[in-house]
Amino acid sequence: MQRDRLVATPERDVAPQYTMEQIVAVNPYNPDILPDLEAYVHEQVNHQTYSLDTNLCLLRLYQFEPSRMNIQIVARILVKALMALPAPDFNLCMFLIPEKLQMEEPFLTLITLAHFLETARFRDFWDEAERNRQILEVVPGFEQAIQRFALHVLSLSYQRLPRLVLAEAINMEGLSLDKFLEHQVVNNGWSVEKAPGGGQIIGLPANEHNYPELKKNIADSIPLEHVSKLFPVLT
Amino acid sequence: MAYESSSYGGGYDDSYEERPELRYGRDAEQQEPDYDTNFVPDAVQSFVVYLYRYIREKNVYEILQMYELNFQKLSERMFKQSPWPAAEAIAPYVDNDHVFCLLYRELWFRHVYARLTPTITQRMDSWDNYCSLFQIILHGNVNMQLPNQWLWDMIDEFIYQFQSFCQYRAKLKTKTEQELALLREYADVWNVYGVLNYLQALIEKSNIIQILEDDKDGGTNFTAQNGYDFQGGGSNVLKVLGYFSIVGLLRVHCLLGDYYCGLKCLLPIDIHQPGVYSNVVGCQITTVYYYVFANLMLRRYVEAIKACNQILLIIHKTKQDHQASSQFQQILKKNEQLYALLAICLSLCPQGKLVDETVNSQLREKQGEKMLRMQRNDEAVFDELFSFACPKFITPSPPNYDELVNYNQDAYRLQLKLFLSEVRQQQLLSSIRSYLKLYSAIPISKLASFMDVDEPTLRLYEVCVVKFAGWKVSSS
């Protein structure tokens, strides 16, 4: 009876020039890469980059060895996943996080925020986000990412929308919203008209979603990577 | 094929393992068995001698007969309630061939799991046997042609025993001191890293992913020869085990809730084409089942429905061919589970056109009433069908042995919870859907007032839930 037989881990020489993504593709079931994956999360946060595969790999390793789980890092992964909307990354992460943990903070808040975003309740989202700034402001670029997502959603369902709806969705008003609209009009084909009863009506560029007659996607205010993230979800 | 206790009851019911006669059986582990595993009846002697000969001759057809038919017949006749003779006892009849004994032992343990309840020592010994067997295969020291059925069953059983061990380990309430001590001491046994790394190693060492790539341009004829290697006089074992390990990884990842990675692992195999996987019925059904389930959890409902439809048609057409097979019960069980999954998918995403009429009529018969209730947002039915159809999720890490509670349902509860919250999020959508059915062209403002939400919310909600939930609204 060979009780001392160790777990079979194929021999690897992990040369420093491999990226984390490559390492995870080649040798993901390896407890030794856990610290590197954690460091990589910090790198993503600081450099405003993102890697779903490596983050999922880390969550998996935490599942295998719960004593090594770092709550701060899991929270950061979830915030980054929210920033990846409309990609379903947040849900992918949730499948790997123990139920007990999901019932504690900061996960409860993050789940609420995700729910608001997935049901397009932007007003509720921004209110809740404001109440929980401390969880979110550790990840630079969060606000901008959500604003991009909100614009994306608006562009799918509106050709013309009241200023108020836009303002609520991207959490901007007053002068900063004026500046933003100016930029969009000049660079991205938006239009701004006066509404009959006062206020403004924003016109968004036509695309195949908000203008069903069009077969081709003309709108380019949405970065390509957001559209392509949509594809795995749409069928 | 592995027998799962869930075959014996609906829902996530593992009470079969808790039945009273077993409880005493486990405590009395040291009790002398009333069979002698050193005694080798003539029939068994004959069996191993012939099997050994056919393996040496690489006579795949005869090996398959012995493996599929004779082993089952003898088990049924002589070993209904007892293990086969020990490997040590039969070894003299097969030249003490090391590899044959490892293969025999693998069958031996499989039989124990199927007919008896393995003791903790047997569970651990079986792990050791798999390690030895895989090590030898990985080092290229096995020169055999074994039937694909056997090789698939090996991977299938390997993962089944891992799953079973995780379940077993997480039920601490009825553990004896001795069992707890063994579990604490031998933490590497059925370790999740080990299981995954063996599957990964088989894939890598066999180079199967490159082989499948080359297959596409006709560079190799792996698929054309169904994985066998008759011209080269070589061995199919490593390659085919590597191939089936691809499915193995899909399955293990699904058991861990990692559906995205599971589907990624499956990519080298195209389930929309026939292949080596579709020539072993158990493999095809298992592959598509996990593919469907993963897509369901990722909200890719249309993809899940299509794959479900495809496999249910296949089962319908070929079911009768397998009536005599030891796997028939498992096939029937998976058939029912797939109908349940189809019912769920169609309730969340009505796409009736994707379903064949044969499948549709079976579906209406089996799940018609439940589907009506799901369409009325009856959450209890979603719960019931999910629990019936889902895999037996596992917690991969060892439990806290100091807290004597049962953890074995934790993983399942999490997946169920996430699934139900997704169902709830779809409830508003189903209201939209039913209104749209009544009114072919309804201005969104009117719809909003019916639903008592303001128009912007409804518009945005429709986009998010409809467009992001993998469901195309057929009307504009």
Side-chain angles (χ1 to χ4, degrees), chain B residues 423-441:
Chain B
V423 167
R424 260 171 246 136
Q425 207 156 274
Q426 299 262 1
Q427 276 173 11
L428 180 58
L429 174 65
S430 71
S431 311
I432 297 177
R433 213 187 295 141
S434 48
Y435 277 120
L436 285 173
K437 272 198 188 137
L438 291 174
Y439 302 92
S440 55

Side-chain angles (χ1 to χ4, degrees), chain B residues 159-321:
Chain B
I159 297 170
Y160 169 70
Q161 290 191 14
F162 168 56
Q163 189 181 313
S164 171
F165 185 79
C166 290
Q167 293 279 322
Y168 163 82
R169 179 177 60 185
K171 285 189 227 165
L172 297 176
K173 268 197 206 147
T174 49
K175 292 280 184 291
T176 63
E177 271 312 311
Q178 185 199 29
E179 284 171 314
L180 289 171
L182 282 171
L183 285 171
R184 276 195 179 97
E185 189 180 347
Y186 298 112
D188 279 344
V189 166
W190 290 114
N191 181 291
V192 64
Y193 286 116
V195 171
L196 285 166
N197 279 314
Y198 271 121
L199 294 173
Q200 179 83 344
L202 287 167
I203 292 173
E204 278 176 21
K205 216 60 205 300
S206 63
N207 203 24
I208 186 64
I209 296 183
Q210 189 58 51
I211 290 175
L212 289 171
E213 264 304 307
D214 293 341
D215 238 16
K216 288 185 197 158
D217 334 303
T220 57
N221 46 14
F222 177 79
T223 305
Q225 294 207 119
N226 202 20
Y228 293 107
D229 184 4
F230 290 119
Q231 277 95 341
S235 170
N236 74 331
V237 172
L238 177 57
K239 259 185 301 190
V240 175
L241 281 179
Y243 179 85
F244 289 136
S245 294
I246 293 174
V247 180
L249 280 183
L250 164 67
R251 182 169 163 197
V252 175
H253 279 290
C254 286
L255 295 175
L256 298 171
D258 197 350
Y259 309 106
Y260 177 80
C261 289
L263 288 177
K264 263 187 123 175
C265 290
L266 185 66
L267 281 176
I269 295 179
D270 180 1
I271 63 148
H272 301 105
Q273 303 283 339
V276 173
Y277 78 98
S278 53
N279 293 327
V280 177
V281 63
C283 179
Q284 185 175 31
I285 294 176
T286 299
T287 306
V288 181
Y289 165 80
Y290 282 98
Y291 179 80
V292 167
F293 192 83
N295 275 291
L296 164 65
M297 295 305 275
L298 295 179
R299 306 191 210 159
R300 300 177 192 172
Y301 301 120
V302 172
E303 190 54 39
I305 290 168
K306 282 188 190 154
C308 230
N309 181 61
Q310 175 198 15
I311 192 67
L312 285 169
L313 266 177
I314 289 173
I315 297 177
H316 178 78
K317 287 182 188 149
T318 62
K319 189 159 59 176
Q320 303 317 316
D321 303 339

Side-chain angles (χ1 to χ4, degrees), chain B residues 303-447:
Chain B
E303 190 54 39
I305 290 168
K306 282 188 190 154
C308 230
N309 181 61
Q310 175 198 15
I311 192 67
L312 285 169
L313 266 177
I314 289 173
I315 297 177
H316 178 78
K317 287 182 188 149
T318 62
K319 189 159 59 176
Q320 303 317 316
D321 303 339
H322 303 285
Q323 253 178 336
S325 153
S326 57
Q327 308 178 26
F328 192 56
Q329 288 307 315
Q330 260 299 315
I331 295 174
L332 292 181
K333 170 76 190 246
K334 276 284 173 293
N335 193 49
E336 296 308 305
Q337 287 179 311
L338 284 160
Y339 271 108
L341 291 177
L342 184 58
I344 290 174
C345 289
L346 287 171
S347 302
L348 291 171
C349 174
Q351 293 282 304
K353 292 188 199 134
L354 294 174
V355 181
D356 221 83
E357 187 44 46
T358 319
V359 173
N360 206 13
S361 65
Q362 289 269 302
L363 179 67
R364 265 180 273 131
E365 203 181 293
K366 292 175 198 280
Q367 303 289 355
E369 195 227 305
K370 297 219 168 83
M371 284 180 73
L372 280 172
R373 286 166 64 194
M374 283 192 284
Q375 272 142 31
R376 278 182 237 133
N377 300 319
D378 187 341
E379 197 175 286
V381 179
F382 280 106
D383 186 324
E384 181 193 330
L385 287 182
F386 181 89
S387 302
F388 169 69
C390 70
K392 281 222 145 153
F393 302 106
I394 53 173
T395 305
S397 55
N400 177 1
Y401 294 116
D402 297 323
E403 252 187 82
L404 296 184
V405 294
N406 285 350
Y407 298 84
N408 59 310
Q409 299 248 357
D410 285 5
Y412 151 73
R413 271 208 307 266
L414 171 61
Q415 301 302 315
L416 173 66
K417 180 174 167 178
L418 292 170
F419 169 71
L420 289 177
S421 77
E422 171 58 25
V423 167
R424 260 171 246 136
Q425 207 156 274
Q426 299 262 1
Q427 276 173 11
L428 180 58
L429 174 65
S430 71
S431 311
I432 297 177
R433 213 187 295 141
S434 48
Y435 277 120
L436 285 173
K437 272 198 188 137
L438 291 174
Y439 302 92
S440 55
I442 181 170
I444 206 152
S445 50
K446 198 158 197 168
L447 186 55

Side-chain angles (χ1 to χ4, degrees), chain A residues 53 65 91 233-235, chain B residues 193 258 264 299 467-468 472:
Chain A
D53 287 335
E65 296 179 84
N91 296 316
V233 183
L234 287 181
T235 42
Chain B
Y193 286 116
D258 197 350
K264 263 187 123 175
R299 306 191 210 159
K467 292 200 161 110
F468 297 159
K472 272 208 188 82

Side-chain angles (χ1 to χ4, degrees), chain B residues 1-4 67 105-115 118 123 126-127 129-130 134 149-165 190 195 199 241 244 248 251 286 330:
Chain B
M1 198 141 156
Y3 291 58
E4 297 187 29
Y67 170 80
R105 230 182 250 119
E106 201 262 328
L107 295 178
W108 193 95
F109 284 113
R110 224 192 285 175
H111 173 82
V112 167
Y113 270 84
R115 303 267 183 170
R123 289 179 187 272
S126 181
W127 163 255
N129 193 57
Y130 276 117
F134 289 147
Q149 178 74 59
W150 188 339
L151 295 170
W152 161 252
D153 286 342
M154 216 186 277
I155 298 292
D156 192 40
E157 180 73 16
F158 177 61
I159 297 170
Y160 169 70
Q161 290 191 14
F162 168 56
Q163 189 181 313
S164 171
F165 185 79
W190 290 114
V195 171
L199 294 173
L241 281 179
F244 289 136
R251 182 169 163 197
T286 299
Q330 260 299 315

